[in-house]
Amino acid sequence: NPQITITLPAIQKLIDNNIAFVVCNEKHMPSAMLLHLASNNVQTEIFSHQIKASEPLKKNLWRQTIMAKIKNQAALLGIVNKSKPDKFLTNLAKTVKSGDSSNREAIAAKYYWNKLFPFPFVRDYQGTPPNNLLNYGYAILRAAIARALMSSGLLPTLGIHHHNKYNPFCLADDIIEPYRPFVDWHVYNIYNDILNNQPE
């Protein structure tokens, strides 16, 4: 939190214990990180593995990421409908190809949003509610993932799928995908409570 003050001796104690010290901005996104220089050999090795990751490996990792996302979407629809995980999405997850070349993620998204909310809904960052609630939840999740990646010694700028020269958190934007349905679940409950408690 930007309101926290930490003394230099406290920071030195953290570094002496090989703890990654992550500084966050007012949006709770990492803006800097201090690492113990004596652990640089591990840091160099981690960075090297990330940089040298082959294209087939990245495509396979993206395939696994999208499969996990679709399976979690299927599980959430099962919870919402008080039944087993959604069969269409469960089967769709099995057909995701390397790098998601057939764009199963988009097919799943269209189906998923139509089933999750009982009204015409389009997922759009600038769209009508509950898009605002989803944006807020995803921002919190993204910040937590970015902090975890940095404290693990990974370079958050090197994504496996997302690539944008203006985005310092491409890897966080990759890793967030399977976890989005957890935010969706909370938003679903909040939004349903709002709708159910409106005066007639």
Side-chain angles (χ1 to χ4, degrees):
N1 189 299
Q3 296 175 355
I4 294 173
T5 300
I6 300 178
T7 63
L8 188 57
I11 293 172
Q12 186 60 55
K13 195 74 172 170
L14 292 169
I15 292 169
D16 288 344
N17 285 283
N18 204 24
I19 293 168
F21 182 79
V22 180
V23 179
C24 297
N25 62 21
E26 66 281 354
K27 294 182 179 177
H28 308 287
M29 290 298 287
S31 55
M33 181 170 68
L34 299 173
L35 294 169
H36 195 296
L37 290 177
S39 66
N40 195 40
N41 59 336
V42 176
Q43 191 75 42
T44 303
E45 183 180 9
I46 293 170
F47 286 178
S48 178
H49 286 307
Q50 264 192 281
I51 292 165
K52 292 177 182 174
S54 67
E55 206 55 39
L57 173 61
K58 288 193 253 185
K59 285 185 176 184
N60 186 37
L61 290 172
W62 186 242
R63 174 182 174 266
Q64 292 176 45
T65 300
I66 296 307
M67 285 177 69
K69 179 182 183 178
I70 296 172
K71 285 179 183 177
N72 286 342
Q73 289 173 329
L76 178 52
L77 290 183
I79 292 168
V80 166
N81 296 318
K82 297 178 175 58
S83 63
K84 293 181 181 178
D86 185 87
K87 194 171 182 178
F88 174 79
L89 290 179
T90 302
N91 290 333
L92 189 67
K94 296 173 186 174
T95 67
V96 178
K97 296 179 181 176
S98 176
D100 191 24
S101 56
S102 55
N103 207 5
R104 292 299 194 246
E105 182 184 17
I107 295 167
K110 184 175 180 183
Y111 176 88
Y112 172 73
W113 292 119
N114 285 332
K115 295 286 185 180
L116 185 61
F117 291 112
F119 51 85
F121 175 76
V122 176
R123 175 66 187 125
D124 179 7
Y125 187 81
Q126 302 291 337
T128 58
N131 277 294
N132 57 339
L133 299 175
L134 293 167
N135 295 343
Y136 180 74
Y138 295 154
I140 293 170
L141 183 58
R142 183 177 185 252
I145 289 170
R147 290 194 301 270
L149 289 171
M150 291 187 75
S151 65
S152 298
L154 292 164
L155 273 173
T157 54
L158 293 180
I160 56 175
H161 178 76
H162 289 88
H163 304 284
N164 184 329
K165 67 180 181 179
Y166 302 110
N167 181 3
F169 301 108
C170 290
L171 187 56
D173 291 335
D174 291 329
I175 302 299
I176 196 175
E177 295 301 339
Y179 299 100
R180 288 182 187 273
F182 293 95
V183 171
D184 302 343
W185 170 233
H186 287 289
V187 170
Y188 172 86
N189 287 321
I190 291 167
Y191 203 67
N192 272 351
D193 285 344
I194 292 169
L195 291 177
N196 292 333
N197 291 318
Q198 283 184 344
E200 303 251 341

